[in-house]
Amino acid sequence: MNTQISVSGRGESALATFDRHRIRLFARVQQPELRRLGVFLLAAGAGMLPLMAGSAHAALTKVPTNGADTLLMLMGSALVLLMTPGLAFFYGGFTRAKNVLNTMMMSFFMMGLIGVLWVVIGYSLSFGVGFKSPFIGGLEFFMMNGLGGPLGDAPLADGFAISATSFALFQGMFAIITPALISGALVERISFKAWFWFTLLWSLLIYSPMAHMVWGGGFIGPLGTIGAIDFAGGTVVHIASGVAALVAAAIVGPRNAYPNATRPPHNVPFILLGAGLLWFGWFGFNGASYFAAAGAGLCFITTSASASAAMLTWCLIEWFKGGKPTAVGAATGAVAGLVGITPAAGFVTIGNSLLIGALTAVACFIAIQIKAKIQFDDSLDTFMVHGVGGTIGALLTGILAAKVLVPADYFPLSAKILAESGNVGLFFAQFKATILTYGFVGIGTAVILLVVKATCGLRIDADDEETGMDIMLHGEEAYEPMTN
Amino acid sequence: MKKIEAIIRPSKIDDVKTSLVNAGIIGMTITDVRGFGRQKGQVETYRGTEFTVEFLSKVKVEVVVEDDKVASVIEAITGPSRTGEIGDGKIFVIPVEDVVRIRTAESGSSAI
């Protein structure tokens, strides 16, 4: 997501636009109905660090909305949306037949819950500037009010030819899939009520600040203090969901059947179907994150090439080690490669994308073996694939980013770091961003889960867990054996 | 009358069916079953975690015949289903008290 929409608006220079927005939004927050919420969020987000320097970067010029670029975003939104049911199939295949509907609902339901939340306030908290905080957005886009001008076709910001509306939709799809990813660590035991409240709070209190800090012109990103780059969500989506999964699995605890009475995946073809849909959707996830149709081909290729290299690597490791390349391994390897290239897709050469895919696959493979040895019940390896893969990808982005692909007008601080201290300097920026994400997400997730645990409990009864999540939580079964 | 219950390898069901039909058997019932005998289970690995699958897939074939046909039916089953490896399965012969054809209410050997 190579944008910094703190410069949003239609002014002649970024600074002027920024100031105009700031003044207008400041006036809005004075309104009594927004004030109470504003005070609460300001207390959480502001005052910790000085306002990020809105004037420090080169001015981008205003460009009219471009149809092709905007269409890329709309197509990308549809592609990324499909990843969530894809993920539902990917995860659903791994669980027992009696739990498949609940597992799939944990992902699928996010299209409802987070879909509404994003329109109401999630987008505003992520990409608004009203609070002038490096950690959280604002309230000016409450209900997506005024987004993209009266006709919804106004460009996102100076230097961006995509419409603001297409950007907001595209970002919403990321907000939907990120909490869905966490479900892999918690399947077959967490109550649906706990999942509902956890994802609602997590999206508001963890995802929106992360998106603002990395992409919204905040603390971590190239307009902020650290200057890390994250093309399509290595930190915001994958490290965040992976770390949340790790912490959540530790707090919720293992399934009662783990490790001695667990069963093999109930439907491996579902896993392959899901992985295929994820790969397909990832063209939108990474490719459309370029925000311009003309150059998006690079990200489309790096994305697919990394997935190919990772699948190949994974299967070759299995082949040499255990004698057989597995279908589950091929699917897992491809997803690992897609995770690894996510922060790097628009910043590295095509050749290096193969390297990123292969290295991510090796790291995730080792992580999964370690998890199996120490018997930690991150049930579907969310941290081992998304956390580890996202971390490797974020760090490799620092090492492998090409100067020409990190232009100073869009990524001022990152380009400055690259020019002054090269890839080593950028690596350290990426490292800092990664550590910060681990800390913020880890602590935040723990606090949210403990609150949910104290108020409505986390797990279903042991008896119900044994009977099956589908019938106990949803009153349905996926497969009725006597139907004919 | 006897019921012949044969537990065989799933891959042999088509050959066994053909062989039984050729032996003059006009009806049978088959069921997907799982179990183990001397063959024991098999080990499957998913993402580095090993699962021992004790119960392997088999097919159960049930045929009811007159006593004098038992030997030929057993021969018709064992012929195509034998590989010589552990896991070929077993045949049980069980006495049957009566048979009723639901459509006509006939009973006894004419209902077979």
Side-chain angles (χ1 to χ4, degrees), chain A residues 221-449:
Chain A
L223 296 182
T225 308
I226 292 180
I229 46 177
D230 182 356
F231 192 75
T235 50
V236 182
V237 175
H238 296 293
I239 297 181
S241 61
V243 170
L246 185 69
V247 170
I251 291 176
V252 173
R255 291 166 288 178
N256 289 329
Y258 190 85
N260 294 322
T262 51
R263 304 293 306 159
H266 94 281
N267 193 329
V268 176
F270 271 11
I271 296 171
L272 299 194
L273 172 68
L277 288 173
L278 284 170
W279 191 331
F280 181 74
W282 231 292
F283 283 117
F285 200 92
N286 289 357
S289 286
Y290 196 80
F291 295 169
L298 172 75
C299 319
F300 273 67
I301 295 183
T302 54
T303 298
S304 202
S306 176
S308 303
M311 181 197 281
L312 186 63
T313 305
W314 197 291
C315 286
L316 287 176
I317 294 173
E318 286 185 331
W319 217 332
F320 280 114
K321 193 169 163 281
K324 287 172 186 161
T326 67
V328 170
T332 309
V335 173
L338 290 161
V339 170
I341 196 64
T342 295
F347 298 132
V348 298
T349 61
I350 294 168
N352 279 338
S353 71
L354 291 173
L355 183 65
I356 289 175
L359 290 175
T360 309
V362 171
C364 293
F365 186 90
I366 293 169
I368 284 180
Q369 310 306 309
I370 292 171
K371 185 217 81 163
K373 280 239 164 58
I374 65 171
Q375 299 194 332
F376 177 73
D377 194 14
D378 172 354
S379 314
L380 311 182
D381 299 307
T382 305
F383 178 76
M384 284 66 212
V385 175
H386 297 275
V388 172
T391 304
I392 296 292
L395 298 178
L396 285 176
T397 302
I399 297 170
L400 299 173
K403 276 197 183 72
V404 66
L405 294 172
V406 188
D409 46 355
Y410 288 95
F411 309 97
L413 183 54
S414 318
K416 187 164 164 256
I417 292 171
L418 263 180
E420 285 171 4
S421 41
N423 285 96
V424 177
L426 190 59
F427 172 81
F428 281 110
Q430 299 293 102
F431 186 71
K432 275 188 261 179
T434 303
I435 295 295
L436 208 91
T437 307
Y438 270 73
F440 174 66
V441 175
I443 294 167
T445 303
V447 170
I448 293 172
L449 274 174

Side-chain angles (χ1 to χ4, degrees), chain B:
Chain B
M1 289 175 292
K2 294 277 191 292
K3 179 162 88 163
I4 295 158
E5 261 185 31
I7 313 287
I8 61 167
R9 294 181 190 273
S11 58
K12 297 295 181 193
I13 182 60
D14 289 327
D15 291 346
V16 167
K17 184 209 76 181
T18 308
S19 165
L20 283 169
V21 171
N22 290 343
I25 303 301
I26 51 166
M28 66 191 76
T29 302
I30 69 168
T31 323
D32 284 320
V33 294
R34 313 199 106 203
F36 68 89
R38 288 192 201 167
Q39 190 185 6
K40 301 279 167 53
Q42 63 195 22
V43 176
E44 298 176 3
T45 307
Y46 299 91
R47 284 188 173 173
T49 303
E50 288 187 349
F51 296 91
T52 306
V53 180
E54 280 103 358
F55 300 107
L56 299 177
S57 286
K58 297 285 169 188
V59 169
K60 181 167 78 173
V61 183
E62 289 168 285
V63 183
V64 176
V65 292
E66 299 280 9
D67 290 358
D68 60 343
K69 282 193 176 169
V70 169
S72 65
V73 166
I74 288 175
E75 199 178 317
I77 293 172
T78 51
S81 64
R82 179 182 293 141
T83 68
E85 304 290 322
I86 290 175
D88 276 351
K90 287 213 166 47
I91 295 174
F92 307 100
V93 181
I94 305 153
V96 172
E97 220 160 83
D98 200 359
V99 177
V100 177
R101 175 171 283 129
I102 293 175
R103 174 171 56 88
T104 58
E106 304 165 76
S107 62
S109 39
S110 65
I112 291 178

